[in-house]
Amino acid sequence: MGKRSDFERKPRDFYPTPIEAVYPLLEHLEENFLFAEPCAGDGALINHLETKGVCMWASDIEPQAEGIHKNDFSEISEREVLESEFIITNPPWDRNMLHSMIEHFSSLRPTWLLFDADWAHTKQSAPYMNKCAKIVSVGRIKWFGNMTGKDNCAWYLFYNNEVETTFHGRT
């Protein structure tokens, strides 16, 4: 999963999002916010977010729950996210795919993505940081039940225009 992990990656980077990863994000969302989830997998992230908001549309390349549409992220258009204020997802951490998702999703809606915190400190982040409004620290996540991952994580909020980035540490 991460760069220092001994574990074989799961196909398509399918790792359901634990609730502990969502708590830091909830502080940055208004009550009854509307969102789309384009990498929904089994719907775990949707279930966590619906404690405060409403999912208007969900998809995945390999849906694993009822009500999740089958779509590649590149097929998502304005039509799918029409009623949503945000796109919120835990995307695959593959850099080529991640960077394409940042570009595509942020062109449609403000986009919250959960991935490794270290990314913001790399050269590869440079083309995208001017679109990143917030970085919300999550810390290490237990992706495998009781086993904590080896990478710190963060939620990143991307827009389609240039913005100043603010960092929100753990509380």
Side-chain angles (χ1 to χ4, degrees), residues 40-159:
D42 66 357
L45 179 57
I46 294 167
N47 293 334
H48 303 323
L49 291 171
E50 284 193 328
T51 62
K52 191 171 183 176
V54 178
C55 183
M56 303 305 291
W57 185 81
S59 69
D60 195 277
I61 197 162
E62 286 184 5
Q64 298 185 33
E66 213 165 300
I68 298 173
H69 301 275
K70 182 175 177 61
N71 283 93
D72 181 82
F73 81 90
S74 63
E75 300 169 340
I76 298 167
S77 69
E78 180 65 30
R79 186 182 72 201
E80 285 81 19
V81 300
L82 183 63
E83 299 177 78
S84 301
E85 299 168 82
F86 297 100
I87 293 173
I88 304 175
T89 197
N90 171 12
W93 291 12
D94 171 89
R95 294 310 189 219
N96 290 331
M97 189 174 296
L98 176 64
H99 295 158
S100 295
M101 287 181 173
I102 292 169
E103 290 289 335
H104 184 65
F105 295 155
S106 67
S107 74
L108 297 170
R109 290 290 180 279
T111 300
W112 284 101
L113 300 176
L114 175 65
F115 55 94
D116 60 291
D118 196 40
W119 175 86
H121 304 282
T122 64
K123 287 183 180 180
Q124 64 184 320
S125 72
Y128 309 99
M129 289 307 294
N130 66 343
K131 294 181 173 196
C132 183
K134 289 184 182 182
I135 300 172
V136 178
S137 181
V138 173
R140 294 189 180 181
I141 298 172
K142 291 184 179 181
W143 295 105
F144 312 105
N146 281 339
M147 216 174 323
T148 302
K150 295 182 180 183
D151 291 304
N152 287 303
C153 300
W155 284 99
Y156 295 84
L157 175 60
F158 294 96
Y159 284 88

